[in-house]
């Protein structure tokens, strides 16, 4: 009882912020008490907003309350400490994911045990009566679990403690006398032992098939093991996805930072180019304006001089016509009456509608071109296509799932080396060291390497096919159509250039090849090879096909063209067959 009182005292005199015994206790206007340092730190963080809240009741104060030490509360806390008040460890409080004690009042402690008889959970303090009291000796205690109401029968509100094998469900004792009266029922504990660990089958040796049939746990143990293995595999796959996402995010951040800087540089240069064009156009218009005005003003000045000369001559003619001096008239008549010279100024046509409208039209067209480019959303679309991940169907986990992506392939006679013989509807190729009759020397035919490609180009989807090899093995691969066909250099050989990927299958080993780089593979020999292409994800995977799918090698890249499956046969008598999967 004293221990319970201590727990209550601790709960009453603990700080709601730090959950420890109050230190320098202060009481704010709403009546709640805190450590002075705790409430001060809380309000310091919201000081910039000008609003101060009580962490417990959320009452707000527009002015920051003055914090004064609560002397009475301080004395009470000190006395409680001297009388043996020790705070329980912080981890004993129920946190997120913990089962709280059903008997604690106020702030609840973490439950350590649950009683299937009481259907309640208890902390270390409140579970003690179950250990000490005679009335609780028959109660069933287990490690603390939540949702105890799920342990009750929905029909009778009794504890579920029986398992009905007929209906494969948990029931209470009343159910065995009613709804499940004639059913095969056992205790829940017995059924658990059968499904998880069968002690009985561990004690005997199976000397006869009839004895083996008596064991109930073999299939369930196998099922549990397979399920756990699959769960662990999926956990590893998800962890791998998380790591890949983290790496992709970091790569995206670095790339985005670089591209922002480069884009700013390019746009700055573009703006400078536009500003330069703007300046040049303005200066050019001004220069043309000035030249045209100077030319017009020069012409006007000459015209004004000519007008003045003509007016002077007109005045002389008028004066001559009015003179009474006959001698003066006769002496100047001939000179003044001569017609004015017509060629002293060139004839011009004045353009009264002169403007720079054509220039404005050209600038407007430039503006329209830029706006049309932006409206095309090419840049925006390109940016939006960048993604950290894409949502896709999960990778197949067994052969049945791989077969969903099976595709029909046929060999292309136009690509086959002259010593290769195609058969079984162009699904099998054999090297016979004798030249086959070909209609012509087709440009797509391999002339030196004993190789052949399929007709079908694969792209934009998932594809799966299976191959069986016999004789001296084979190279199984895919290639872009542009692989060279003539000669014996690396540009013609599957896996020896940047246009092709292949798996070399010999009688004792496997080797992955791309761009003449080899990767040795340690794996048991399989009579059949499965090839899985995920074009959009950029993966090409080779599997050994048996009861299970064994991954031999996976290429990770970015495919840019359709891929054509192909084969290289290393020796006479070797053959490759494309398996019929449908």
């Amino acid at each position: 009882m004293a221990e319970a009182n201590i727990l209550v005292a601790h709960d009453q005199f603990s700080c709601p912020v730090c959950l420890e015994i109050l230190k320098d206790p202060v009481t704010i206007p709403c009546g709640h008490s805190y450590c002075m340092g705790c409430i001060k730190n809380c309000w310091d963080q919201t000081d910039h907003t000008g609003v101060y809240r009580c962490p417990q009741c959320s009452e707000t104060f527009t002015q920051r309350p003055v914090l004064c030490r609560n002397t009475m509360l301080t004395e009470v806390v000190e006395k409680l400490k001297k009388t043996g008040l020790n705070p329980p460890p912080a981890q004993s409080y129920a946190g997120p994911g913990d089962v709280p004690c059903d008997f604690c009042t106020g702030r609840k402690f973490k439950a350590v045990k649950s009683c299937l008889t009481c259907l309640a959970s208890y902390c270390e303090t409140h579970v003690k009566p179950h250990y000490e009291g005679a009335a609780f000796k028959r109660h069933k205690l287990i490690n603390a679990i939540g949702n105890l109401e799920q342990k009750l029968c929905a029909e009778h509100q009794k504890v579920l403690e029986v398992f009905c094998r007929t209906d494969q469900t948990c029931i209470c004792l009343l159910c065995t006398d009613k709804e499940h009266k004639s059913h095969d029922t056992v205790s829940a504990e017995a059924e658990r032992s059968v499904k998880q660990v069968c002690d009985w089958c561990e004690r005997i040796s199976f000397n006869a098939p009839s004895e083996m049939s008596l064991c109930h746990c073999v299939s369930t143990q196998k099922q549990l093991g397979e399920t756990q293995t699959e769960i662990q595999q999926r956990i590893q796959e998800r962890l791998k996805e998380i790591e890949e996402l983290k790496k992709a995010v970091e790569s995206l951040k670095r790339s985005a930072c670089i591209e922002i800087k480069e884009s700013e540089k390019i746009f700055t240069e573009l703006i400078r180019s536009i500003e330069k064009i703007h300046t040049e156009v303005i200066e050019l218009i001004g220069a043309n304006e000035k030249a045209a005005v100077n030319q017009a003003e020069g012409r006007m000045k000459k015209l004004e001089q000519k007008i003045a000369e003509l007016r002077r001559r007109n005045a002389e003619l008028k004066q001559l016509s009015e003179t009474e001096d006959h001698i003066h008239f006769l002496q100047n008549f001939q000179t003044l009456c001569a017609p004015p010279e017509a060629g002293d100024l060139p004839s011009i046509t004045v353009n009264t509608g002169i403007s720079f409208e054509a220039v404005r039209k050209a600038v407007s067209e430039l503006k329209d071109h830029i706006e049309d480019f932006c409206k095309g959303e090419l840049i925006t679309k390109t940016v939006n296509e960048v993604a950290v991940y894409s949502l896709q169907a999960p990778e197949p986990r067994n052969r049945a799932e791989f077969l969903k992506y099976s595709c029909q392939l046929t060999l292309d006679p136009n690509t086959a080396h002259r010593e290769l013989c195609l058969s079984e509807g162009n699904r099998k190729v054999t090297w016979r060291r004798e030249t086959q009759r070909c209609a012509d020397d087709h440009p797509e035919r391999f002339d030196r390497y004993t190789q052949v490609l399929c007709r079908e180009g694969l792209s934009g989807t998932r594809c799966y096919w299976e191959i069986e090899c016999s004789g001296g093995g084979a190279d199984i691969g895919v290639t872009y159509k542009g692989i060279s066909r003539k000669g014996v250099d690396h540009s013609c050989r599957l896996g020896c250039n940047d246009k092709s990927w292949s798996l070399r299958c010999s009688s004792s080993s496997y080797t992955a090849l791309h761009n003449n780089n080899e990767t040795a593979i340690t794996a048991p020999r399989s009579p059949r090879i499965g090839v899985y292409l995920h074009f959009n994800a950029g993966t090409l995977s080779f599997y050994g096909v048996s009861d299970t799918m064994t991954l031999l090698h996976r290429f990770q890249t970015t495919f840019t063209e359709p891929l054509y499956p192909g084969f290289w046969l290393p020796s006479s008598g070797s053959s490759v067959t494309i398996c019929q999967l449908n």
Side-chain angles (χ1 to χ4, degrees):
M1 191 68 173
E3 187 175 356
N5 290 334
I6 290 174
L7 295 175
V8 173
H10 176 272
D11 193 48
Q12 289 176 342
F13 295 103
S14 62
C15 173
V17 176
C18 67
L19 306 180
E20 300 291 339
I21 292 296
L22 289 165
K23 301 172 185 177
D24 295 329
V26 295
T27 302
I28 62 176
C30 63
H32 291 109
S33 299
Y34 301 91
C35 298
M36 181 178 288
C38 292
I39 192 64
K40 184 177 182 296
N41 289 336
C42 286
W43 286 349
D44 284 346
Q45 294 175 11
T46 60
D47 205 15
H48 64 283
T49 65
V51 177
Y52 308 94
R53 297 179 183 275
C54 172
Q56 279 192 279
C57 66
S58 298
E59 184 174 343
T60 58
F61 313 103
T62 55
Q63 289 186 349
R64 181 165 178 164
V66 178
L67 298 176
C68 296
R69 188 178 184 186
N70 189 323
T71 307
M72 180 181 295
L73 194 55
T74 302
E75 292 176 356
V76 172
V77 170
E78 291 300 324
K79 288 180 180 180
L80 286 172
K81 287 181 178 179
K82 292 177 181 179
T83 57
L85 174 61
N86 294 313
Q91 63 267 23
S92 66
Y93 285 112
D98 293 330
V99 179
C101 174
D102 291 321
F103 277 75
C104 285
T105 57
R107 190 168 179 214
K108 294 181 178 293
F109 288 99
K110 178 181 176 181
V112 293
K113 293 292 181 179
S114 295
C115 178
L116 295 181
T117 306
C118 303
L119 289 178
S121 299
Y122 304 94
C123 64
E124 290 181 355
T125 300
H126 293 120
V127 78
K128 287 184 178 181
H130 275 73
Y131 294 128
E132 299 170 354
F136 297 104
K137 285 184 177 181
R138 294 182 179 274
H139 287 207
K140 179 71 172 178
L141 287 178
I142 60 173
N143 290 332
I145 59 172
N147 300 322
L148 284 172
E149 62 275 5
Q150 294 182 1
K151 307 299 184 293
L152 287 177
C153 173
E155 180 71 19
H156 306 108
Q157 296 301 304
K158 297 294 183 181
V159 178
L160 299 173
E161 49 188 329
V162 179
F163 184 79
C164 176
R165 286 176 172 172
T166 305
D167 293 335
Q168 290 292 301
T169 186
C170 294
I171 60 177
C172 69
L173 287 174
L174 289 179
C175 291
T176 61
D177 293 331
K178 296 184 179 181
E179 295 87 347
H180 301 264
K181 185 173 183 178
S182 59
H183 292 183
D184 180 12
T185 60
V186 295
S187 68
E189 184 177 0
E191 183 65 16
R192 161 73 182 271
S193 65
V194 167
K195 287 190 176 294
Q196 188 172 32
V197 177
C198 184
D199 295 330
W200 175 78
C201 75
E202 289 179 351
R203 292 195 298 269
I204 69 172
S205 58
F206 293 115
N207 297 318
S210 59
E211 290 181 338
M212 175 65 81
S213 65
L214 295 175
C215 177
H216 296 283
C217 78
V218 174
S219 61
T220 54
Q221 282 287 74
K222 181 180 179 182
Q223 182 181 356
L224 283 173
E226 291 176 349
T227 303
Q228 286 180 315
T229 300
E230 183 174 356
I231 289 173
Q232 290 297 326
Q233 181 180 352
R234 293 196 180 187
I235 289 173
Q236 293 303 317
E237 290 173 354
R238 298 300 176 263
L239 289 173
K240 184 179 179 182
E241 288 178 8
I242 289 174
E243 289 302 315
E244 290 176 349
L245 279 172
K246 286 181 179 178
K247 292 179 181 179
V249 167
E250 290 302 319
S251 175
L252 180 67
K253 288 180 179 179
R254 290 193 298 269
S255 177
C257 183
I258 293 171
E259 294 308 319
I260 287 173
K261 291 180 180 178
E262 291 298 319
S263 297
E264 286 179 348
K265 181 180 177 182
I266 293 171
F267 276 109
T268 299
E269 292 174 355
L270 177 61
I271 291 170
R272 287 176 181 171
S273 297
I274 294 175
E275 289 177 345
K276 183 180 178 182
I277 295 172
H278 174 221
T279 302
E280 289 176 352
V281 169
I282 298 302
E283 290 177 351
L284 188 60
I285 292 175
N288 278 273
E289 175 194 11
K290 185 176 180 180
V293 169
N294 289 340
Q295 185 180 9
E297 288 178 346
R299 179 72 182 184
M300 286 189 293
K301 186 174 181 181
K302 290 181 179 181
L303 289 172
E304 288 173 353
Q305 290 175 350
K306 193 63 178 176
I307 290 171
E309 182 182 346
L310 290 173
R311 285 177 176 172
R312 179 185 56 76
R313 189 172 178 184
N314 185 55
E316 290 178 350
L317 285 172
K318 182 178 179 183
Q319 185 179 6
L320 182 64
S321 65
E322 294 175 352
T323 184
E324 294 180 356
D325 187 345
H326 304 299
I327 298 301
H328 176 74
F329 179 86
L330 293 174
Q331 288 176 338
N332 293 285
F333 176 79
Q334 193 68 28
T335 303
L336 294 175
C337 288
E341 297 179 2
D344 53 353
L345 284 176
S347 176
I348 63 170
T349 301
V350 179
N351 182 8
T352 57
I354 188 171
S355 72
F356 288 93
E357 184 178 352
V359 178
R360 183 173 69 251
K361 183 178 180 182
V363 173
S364 179
E365 288 178 355
L366 173 62
K367 169 179 165 290
D368 292 340
H369 283 316
I370 295 175
E371 288 180 348
D372 288 343
F373 182 81
C374 295
K375 288 177 181 177
E377 298 181 352
L378 176 62
I379 297 176
T380 303
K381 182 175 181 293
T382 305
V383 172
N384 289 338
E385 287 176 350
V386 177
V388 175
Y389 65 91
S390 57
L391 294 176
Q392 299 169 340
E395 291 291 296
R397 294 186 297 273
N398 51 56
R399 187 166 180 264
E401 293 184 5
F402 279 103
L403 291 176
K404 294 177 182 178
Y405 304 103
S406 62
C407 60
Q408 298 292 337
L409 297 177
T410 53
L411 300 168
D412 185 356
N414 292 332
T415 66
H417 184 274
R418 287 181 177 273
E419 294 182 3
L420 297 180
C421 177
L422 305 187
S423 59
E424 298 183 11
N426 290 342
R427 299 181 66 84
K428 181 177 181 179
V429 56
T430 307
W431 187 11
R432 292 186 174 173
R433 276 206 181 279
E434 56 185 39
T435 302
Q436 307 299 314
R437 293 183 179 181
C438 300
D440 57 1
D441 186 14
H442 200 279
E444 294 185 359
R445 189 181 314 284
F446 291 98
D447 66 346
R448 301 298 295 275
Y449 283 111
T450 48
Q451 298 182 148
V452 61
L453 301 183
C454 291
R455 295 179 183 274
E456 295 78 13
L458 309 176
S459 65
T461 184
R462 304 188 190 204
C463 300
Y464 177 74
W465 61 99
E466 292 181 353
I467 304 299
E468 287 184 349
C469 306
S470 61
D475 279 15
I476 302 169
V478 296
T479 179
Y480 294 145
K481 194 170 186 178
I483 189 172
S484 298
R485 315 298 173 98
K486 313 300 179 185
V488 291
D489 58 27
H490 290 165
S491 63
C492 303
R493 178 80 177 274
L494 284 173
C496 295
N497 48 69
D498 61 358
K499 292 183 173 62
S500 59
W501 298 258
S502 71
L503 179 74
R504 180 167 297 163
C505 307
S506 69
S507 58
S508 59
S509 64
Y510 297 105
T511 304
L513 298 97
H514 172 63
N515 207 15
N516 210 31
N517 293 320
E518 299 185 2
T519 303
I521 300 168
T522 302
R525 179 69 176 167
S526 176
R528 180 176 289 202
I529 301 297
V531 187
Y532 174 66
L533 171 66
H534 192 337
F535 189 93
N536 292 336
T539 59
L540 175 69
S541 305
F542 295 90
Y543 290 86
V545 181
S546 57
D547 292 337
T548 58
M549 302 291 289
T550 303
L551 178 64
L552 302 175
H553 188 77
R554 176 178 289 126
F555 291 103
Q556 182 69 59
T557 183
T558 300
F559 299 120
T560 58
E561 303 175 29
L563 294 167
Y564 292 81
F567 312 97
W568 174 71
L569 279 64
S571 59
S572 178
S574 59
S575 66
V576 168
T577 302
I578 302 173
C579 302
Q580 187 76 41
L581 299 180
N582 296 329

